[in-house]
Amino acid sequence: MNICTLRGLGMMVLLCLFVAGAMAKERVRFERGIVKRTFVPKGQWFFGGTCSYAETSQENYKFLVLKDWNGSGYQLAIKPFVGYMVMNDFGVGLNFAYERSLFKVDKLNIHLNDDLNFEISDYYILEHVYTASAFARLFMNIEESKRFGLFNDVKLMFGGGQGKYINGEGDVLEGTYQTIFKMGLIYSPGIAVFINDYAAVEASVGVLGVQMKRTDQTTNNVHSGSFSRSSANFKIDLFSIGLGVSIYL
């Protein structure tokens, strides 16, 4: 390497150092324009809940390979909660939930082809689960509005329940009874809209969760078994959308 090359490299290094120093002196803090204001003040109690009910009914329903489907079902969920604001825009509380579901098939033909058909009749699934959750909630205002705000819930959930599967009737009745245990850590963002100074309408959806569910079952009081499932996900769970009303005192 000759002397000219060394001089050229040295000048490039000095130029880079000079430019970096000039940029460091002229660097200005970037402002995102987010103005932090208190949305829910410290010392307020809040309580409320969500309630949902869905019902289905089939009468000679046909869909693809399903023929002559007769049955019914429903899903019921009641979820009250209570909390306290320990800091401005930060609260903690407890959430309780009761969920009950029934799926009943009076008659169903599964037609795969002319030589392969199945028939299901007198079959139903009944399940009810109780859960309790400790949660922390952080509010964030939207610009300078006192009516609209965002919140983030983090819940630590424990619960359990029972279920049963009944197939057949009379002398050919077969039953499977289940004991259910579940736990999880769930993150749910949402939006709160204050109708007045004391009442708000809220909507939230599950996004991130780590959950575990274990089911122990006994069939005809003779055969026993168990099933465990654990999951971790980061996605929008449309089945966990919650709509409710909260009261702030």
Side-chain angles (χ1 to χ4, degrees), residues 41-247:
K42 174 183 177 181
Q44 280 198 325
W45 287 91
F46 60 97
F47 61 92
T50 63
C51 181
S52 63
Y53 179 78
E55 185 175 354
T56 61
S57 179
Q58 301 84 27
E59 183 175 353
N60 294 323
Y61 181 71
K62 296 181 180 180
F63 180 72
L64 298 178
V65 299
L66 305 180
K67 310 292 184 181
D68 304 322
W69 184 0
N70 293 281
S72 60
Y74 66 83
Q75 290 182 318
L76 171 67
I78 302 173
K79 302 178 180 180
F81 64 86
V82 61
Y84 179 76
M85 301 300 296
V86 296
M87 297 173 58
N88 287 341
D89 291 335
F90 180 76
V92 295
L94 296 174
N95 176 275
F96 304 94
Y98 172 69
E99 299 174 275
R100 183 182 180 91
S101 62
L102 172 67
F103 178 72
K104 184 177 181 181
V105 177
D106 297 323
K107 181 182 178 181
L108 173 62
N109 291 318
I110 302 177
H111 185 82
L112 300 178
N113 54 51
D114 293 335
D115 299 322
L116 190 59
N117 298 296
F118 301 94
E119 180 177 317
I120 301 174
S121 61
D122 302 313
Y123 179 83
Y124 76 86
I125 303 172
L126 177 64
E127 184 178 292
H128 59 96
V129 177
Y130 302 86
T131 58
S133 306
F135 70 87
R137 172 174 291 191
L138 177 65
F139 284 95
M140 295 177 290
N141 62 297
I142 299 178
E143 294 185 347
E144 299 183 10
S145 175
K146 291 291 186 178
R147 296 294 181 186
F148 300 90
L150 305 176
F151 65 85
N152 296 296
D153 276 355
V154 178
K155 300 178 181 179
L156 180 61
M157 178 267 294
F158 295 90
Q162 296 82 36
K164 62 179 179 180
Y165 294 63
I166 304 298
N167 185 19
E169 62 179 358
D171 296 334
V172 293
L173 180 66
E174 181 180 274
T176 299
Y177 295 88
Q178 297 182 334
T179 301
I180 302 167
F181 171 76
K182 60 191 302 185
M183 63 180 296
L185 182 64
I186 304 169
Y187 168 69
S188 302
I191 184 171
V193 180
F194 275 80
I195 304 172
N196 53 43
D197 291 339
Y198 305 102
V201 178
E202 298 179 352
S204 64
V205 59
V207 172
L208 175 65
V210 179
Q211 299 189 54
M212 187 275 287
K213 182 178 181 181
R214 177 181 174 86
T215 302
D216 298 318
Q217 63 180 26
T218 303
T219 302
N220 296 333
N221 292 323
V222 177
H223 306 287
S224 61
S226 63
F227 173 76
S228 297
R229 183 183 67 180
S230 59
S231 62
N233 61 74
F234 183 74
K235 62 181 180 180
I236 297 177
D237 186 0
L238 297 179
F239 295 99
S240 68
I241 295 177
L243 300 174
V245 176
S246 299
I247 306 297

Side-chain angles (χ1 to χ4, degrees), residues 28-48:
V28 179
R29 181 180 177 182
F30 182 75
E31 296 290 344
R32 299 184 181 274
I34 299 175
V35 180
K36 177 60 179 174
R37 299 182 184 275
T38 299
F39 190 68
V40 181
K42 174 183 177 181
Q44 280 198 325
W45 287 91
F46 60 97
F47 61 92

